[in-house]
């Protein structure tokens, strides 16, 4: 188990992330707002959570949409998955977008996203004269069929 430190002194009423079931990979995070935030159709808003993390080096936290919020309200995380790097110490804010036809209101303590703790593998980038060829080659965006 990886310990993610959250300074309680900064929380200001923020809810700690919660895994809702034993097998859940993602922990729900909640809005921490002083007043409701209305997100109009086809608009986005940056929603504070009141959470600050100390993530161990070699790990990241991925911010992902909640499937129920997306299915029921057409509201999702715009930059999914968002990444919180281990050296970031600012507040987690979630960029929500409303793809629905009506307004969506975020209330304090609403579950707005989920976070997943994941190991980070860093690449070593090397400039070479040529890269190897494959059967697929440069084909992309649907080149492998339906």
């Amino acid at each position: 188990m990886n310990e993610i430190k959250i300074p309680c002194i900064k929380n200001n009423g923020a809810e700690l992330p919660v895994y809702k079931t034993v097998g859940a990979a993602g922990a729900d995070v909640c809005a921490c707002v002083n007043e409701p935030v209305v997100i109009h159709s086809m608009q986005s808003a940056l929603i504070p959570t009141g959470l600050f993390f100390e993530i161990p080096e070699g790990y990241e936290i991925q911010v992902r949409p909640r499937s129920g919020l997306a299915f029921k309200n057409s509201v999702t995380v715009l930059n999914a998955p968002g990444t919180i790097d281990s050296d970031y110490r600012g507040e987690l804010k979630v960029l929500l977008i409303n793809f629905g036809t009506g307004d969506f209101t975020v209330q304090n303590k609403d579950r707005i996203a989920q976070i997943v703790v994941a190991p980070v593998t860093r690449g070593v980038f090397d400039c070479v004269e040529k890269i190897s060829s494959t059967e697929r080659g440069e084909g992309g965006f649907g080149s492998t069929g339906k």
Side-chain angles (χ1 to χ4, degrees), residues 16-108:
L16 290 177
V18 174
Y19 293 100
K20 290 296 190 175
T21 66
V22 174
D28 289 343
V29 293
C30 298
C32 185
V33 294
N34 295 325
E35 55 188 42
V37 176
V38 177
I39 308 173
H40 302 292
S41 177
M42 301 309 295
Q43 297 293 309
S44 61
L46 198 56
I47 308 298
T49 66
L51 296 172
F52 299 77
F53 300 102
E54 184 178 318
I55 304 166
E57 189 173 331
Y59 290 87
E60 66 165 328
I61 288 180
Q62 298 175 1
V63 182
R64 301 180 180 183
R66 290 192 56 246
S67 58
L69 195 60
F71 177 69
K72 294 175 185 172
N73 303 102
S74 298
V75 173
T76 190
V77 176
L78 184 56
N79 61 324
T83 295
I84 305 171
D85 298 306
S86 64
D87 59 351
Y88 177 67
R89 293 296 185 267
E91 180 181 6
L92 166 60
K93 295 182 181 180
V94 178
L95 183 56
L96 291 181
I97 187 163
N98 178 4
F99 285 119
T101 56
D103 291 347
F104 179 78
T105 302
V106 178
Q107 304 281 352
N108 191 43

Side-chain angles (χ1 to χ4, degrees), residues 122-132:
R122 294 186 68 171
V124 176
F125 303 100
D126 191 13
C127 187
V128 296
E129 293 294 321
K130 185 178 177 183
I131 59 174
S132 64

